[in-house]
Amino acid sequence: MFDILVYLYETYYRPDACPEPAALARKLSAVGFDEMEISEALVWLTDLTAMARVEQSPTAESTGTRFYVAQEVDVLGAPAIGFIQFLESAQVLSPLQREIVVERALALDESPVTLGKLKVIVLMLLWSQGKEPDALMFDDLFGADEDQTPRLLH
C-alpha cells in the first residue's frame, strides 16, 4: 500500500490532479500494482482525505500536552512518537494534524509502525491538504534511514 501512496505523491503534484477513484484504480492496475493493495490504498486515502477536510475547518488550537495511551504506544513505538512530537514542535503539524497522523497509523493494523511508514503518512496528510513541506522538512521526511537513531527532544 505504501508504494502506491508514494507513487501517487510523486505522480500527482496536487491531490486534485488525481483522477476519480475508479479511473485511478485502473491506472494503478495498469502500472502493475496489485488489486488488493490498490483497494486498500484507496480506502485508506479516502479516509485520510475526509479527515483532512475536517482539519481545515476553523477550530481552536490546542495548547495542551498530548499523552499517548498504551495501545498507541504499542502501535506507534517510541521513534514514531518522538518524530511526531518533533514535527509538532517544528510547527509542521498542528495538534489536529497530529491526531490525523496517529489515527491513520492506528488504521494500518500493524505494530509497531515503522518510522518510514509514519513519514509517508505525514507526507500524504500534507499532500492531501495541498501543503508542501519546506526543503529541510522534506529531507527529514525522506532523507533519513530507518536505522538512524531517532532525534531526541530536549
Side-chain angles (χ1 to χ4, degrees), residues 86-108:
F86 163 71
L87 293 175
E88 193 173 2
S89 70
Q91 297 181 342
V92 173
L93 293 179
S94 71
L96 291 171
Q97 288 171 316
R98 173 200 63 219
E99 293 306 312
I100 294 171
V101 168
V102 170
E103 192 283 331
R104 292 289 73 208
L106 294 174
L108 294 178

Side-chain angles (χ1 to χ4, degrees), residues 38-104:
I38 293 169
S39 175
E40 184 179 309
L42 291 179
V43 167
W44 188 92
L45 194 57
T46 300
D47 292 344
L48 172 71
T49 303
M51 294 178 81
R53 277 194 213 114
V54 171
E55 195 281 327
Q56 291 179 353
S57 65
T59 58
E61 282 294 315
S62 169
T63 57
T65 301
R66 171 63 152 93
F67 290 94
Y68 293 85
V69 297
Q71 177 195 11
E72 293 170 334
V73 172
D74 290 344
V75 171
L76 295 171
I81 290 172
F83 190 69
I84 291 169
Q85 290 173 333
F86 163 71
L87 293 175
E88 193 173 2
S89 70
Q91 297 181 342
V92 173
L93 293 179
S94 71
L96 291 171
Q97 288 171 316
R98 173 200 63 219
E99 293 306 312
I100 294 171
V101 168
V102 170
E103 192 283 331
R104 292 289 73 208

